[in-house]
């Protein structure tokens, strides 16, 4: 597969180049040059195939020939060694649980897939790659876990001090080896700005092979397609039309679902469910796209003021506003509404949701009001114990900690505090 830059000022790239660079030299996001839709035969017989085989068929065209099929099979087996269950709440609403991986966030799949791709490319390579990543919470833990011990890769994670949950912080600051956590005096957008500045800094990029592990990286973005096709497979025989409500921050996850629709998977509609950070909802309303500083909410992994993948979404729908509106709705919810949704899910369905999943549930409900004939799947993107304080407080229960969480909670935090770009830069230069 060839990838082009959405800024259209850079040469095309192979999959390997796109993964290693992260962002194109003209600072554009990479986008696949052509896609071959699924065959009807594949779609009609999905339910007879294993998740593993479906994943291979879904992603193969995007990574071949840079990663040959045999190696890809190993990467997929390694990446997907946990479950993706659907829990049906009622006739119209189900949730797809994406939190059964090692850090209990849906980002595990993308992080593990990308780490293994880089590991594959680095097998015969002497130069270390530095993965630089800004996190609003869950990315850091998933990336740290996914990349731990991968040869030739040093991971540097920037996170906003005091703005991630205790468990999230433990998940990203308690690894050693090739993982470093930088604790930034600021908000997520400050972290993201510093990362962007580093990629633009020629003094740095001439000395270090920098890449990103945010969802702008094609190797993190594309494996998220698996969720939607797994859900489709599980629900296909029961429902005519399936729509997805995706709790969205940087819009990488939802954008992967949209690629799948481009490949021919019959997804009826997408609902971008947002907290107070509602740039896209406002855009769909006014046709004016105005990024803003992010505001802090209880669903902090979605506290994003300028979603980096939105440009890919516009590309998918041909930069046509009406076309986009036809496929995408977006709703925004306050923390108060999110909390009542968590209570409702518990009281009515005996389901414990985390705040992000609860936002997804609200989006599903609102969409069903205008479109009662669809079956709506909301993605539950994090295990509720990752937001322990909020969840226990809102629904007044004591949650049992799963093994994955217990194993980090008592570990010692280790982070390097920084407050300015200059400190990030000198740290990176000291590693080169
Ligand atoms: C990252 C994250 C999101 C947002 O995902 P995007 O792909 O950035 O839109 C939602 N929920 C949780 C729990 C997350 O960690």
């Amino acid at each position: 597969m060839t990838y082009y830059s959405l800024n259209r000022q850079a040469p095309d790239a192979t999959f390997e180049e796109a993964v290693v660079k992260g962002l194109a030299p003209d600072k554009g996001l990479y986008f696949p040059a052509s896609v071959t839709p699924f065959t009807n035969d594949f779609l009609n017989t999905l339910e007879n195939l294993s998740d593993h085989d479906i994943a291979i068929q879904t992603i193969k065209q995007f990574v071949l020939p840079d990663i040959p099929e045999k190696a890809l099979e190993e990467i997929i087996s390694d990446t997907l060694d946990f479950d993706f269950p659907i829990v049906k709440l009622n006739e119209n609403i189900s949730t797809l649980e994406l939190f059964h991986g090692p850090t209990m966030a849906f980002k595990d799949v993308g992080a593990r897939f990308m780490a293994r791709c880089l590991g594959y490319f680095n097998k015969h390579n002497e130069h270390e790659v530095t993965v630089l990543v800004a996190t609003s919470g869950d990315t850091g833990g998933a990336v740290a876990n996914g990349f731990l011990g991968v040869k030739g890769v040093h991971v540097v994670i920037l996170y906003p001090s005091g703005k991630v949950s205790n468990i999230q912080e433990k998940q990203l600051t308690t690894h050693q080896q090739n993982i470093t956590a930088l604790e930034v005096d600021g908000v997520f957008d400050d972290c993201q700005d510093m990362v962007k500045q580093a990629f633009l800094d020629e003094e740095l990029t001439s000395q270090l092979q920098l890449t990103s592990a945010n969802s702008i990286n094609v190797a993190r973005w594309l494996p998220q397609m698996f969720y939607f096709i797994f859900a489709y497979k599980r629900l296909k025989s029961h429902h005519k039309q399936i729509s997805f409500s995706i709790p969205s921050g940087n819009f990488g996850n939802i954008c992967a679902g949209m690629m799948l629709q481009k490949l021919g998977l019959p997804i009826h509609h997408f609902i971008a469910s947002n907290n107070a950070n509602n740039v896209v909802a406002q855009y769909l309303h006014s046709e004016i796209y105005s990024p803003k500083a992010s505001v802090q909410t209880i669903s902090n992994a979605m506290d994003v003021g300028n979603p980096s993948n939105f440009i890919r979404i516009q590309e998918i729908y041909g930069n046509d506003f009406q076309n986009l509106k036809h496929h995408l709705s977006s709703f925004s919810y306050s923390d108060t509404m999110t909390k009542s949704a968590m209570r409702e899910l518990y009281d009515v369905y005996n389901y414990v949701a985390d705040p992000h999943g609860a936002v997804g549930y609200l989006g599903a409900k609102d969409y069903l009001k205008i479109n009662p004939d669809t079956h709506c799947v909301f993605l539950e993107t994090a295990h509720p114990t990752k937001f322990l304080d909020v969840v226990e407080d809102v629904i007044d229960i004591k949650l049992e900690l799963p093994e994955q969480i217990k194993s980090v909670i008592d570990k010692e935090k280790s982070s390097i505090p920084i407050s300015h770009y200059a400190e990030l830069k000198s740290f990176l230069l000291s590693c080169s």
Side-chain angles (χ1 to χ4, degrees), residues 132-134 158-160 182-201 204 210 417-425 428:
L132 193 57
V133 58
L158 285 79
Y159 74 99
L182 300 179
E183 183 171 355
V184 175
D185 181 17
V187 294
F188 169 69
D189 290 340
D190 298 318
C191 302
Q192 188 147 281
D193 287 347
M194 284 194 207
V195 168
K196 282 190 188 145
Q197 201 173 340
F199 281 106
L200 292 171
D201 190 328
L204 269 184
L210 280 186
I418 65 166
S419 33
H420 301 292
Y421 175 69
E423 291 167 278
L424 170 64
K425 182 168 177 175
L428 290 172

Side-chain angles (χ1 to χ4, degrees), residues 313-320 323:
I313 292 181
Q314 292 190 298
E315 186 77 1
I316 289 173
Y317 294 115
N319 295 296
D320 176 339
N323 189 21

Side-chain angles (χ1 to χ4, degrees), residues 81-100:
D81 65 348
F82 47 88
D83 290 337
F84 302 85
I86 287 258
V87 178
K88 196 165 178 175
L89 298 186
N90 64 34
E91 268 319 297
N92 289 112
I93 303 184
S94 298
T95 180
L96 176 69
E97 294 185 344
L98 300 178
F99 57 68
H100 295 275

Side-chain angles (χ1 to χ4, degrees), residues 277-291:
N277 297 282
N278 63 352
V279 184
V280 172
Q282 293 206 332
Y283 173 70
L284 290 176
H285 186 68
S286 66
E287 214 178 328
I288 298 166
Y289 189 76
S290 61

Side-chain angles (χ1 to χ4, degrees), residues 106-107 138 224 247-253 301-302 354 356 381-382:
F106 84 94
K107 293 186 174 74
D138 275 349
Q224 301 176 117
S248 296
N250 263 320
F251 281 65
N253 200 6
M302 308 197 292
D354 96 293
H356 304 78
T381 46

Side-chain angles (χ1 to χ4, degrees), residues 279-334:
V279 184
V280 172
Q282 293 206 332
Y283 173 70
L284 290 176
H285 186 68
S286 66
E287 214 178 328
I288 298 166
Y289 189 76
S290 61
K292 286 184 271 212
S294 62
V295 295
Q296 209 184 326
T297 72
I298 57 168
S299 46
N300 64 32
M302 308 197 292
D303 294 352
V304 181
N306 187 9
S308 47
N309 283 286
F310 193 61
I311 183 144
R312 281 191 173 128
I313 292 181
Q314 292 190 298
E315 186 77 1
I316 289 173
Y317 294 115
N319 295 296
D320 176 339
F321 183 71
Q322 290 311 329
N323 189 21
L324 175 67
K325 251 185 114 142
H326 179 69
H327 291 99
L328 173 69
S329 301
S330 181
F331 303 102
S332 153
Y333 303 99
S334 67

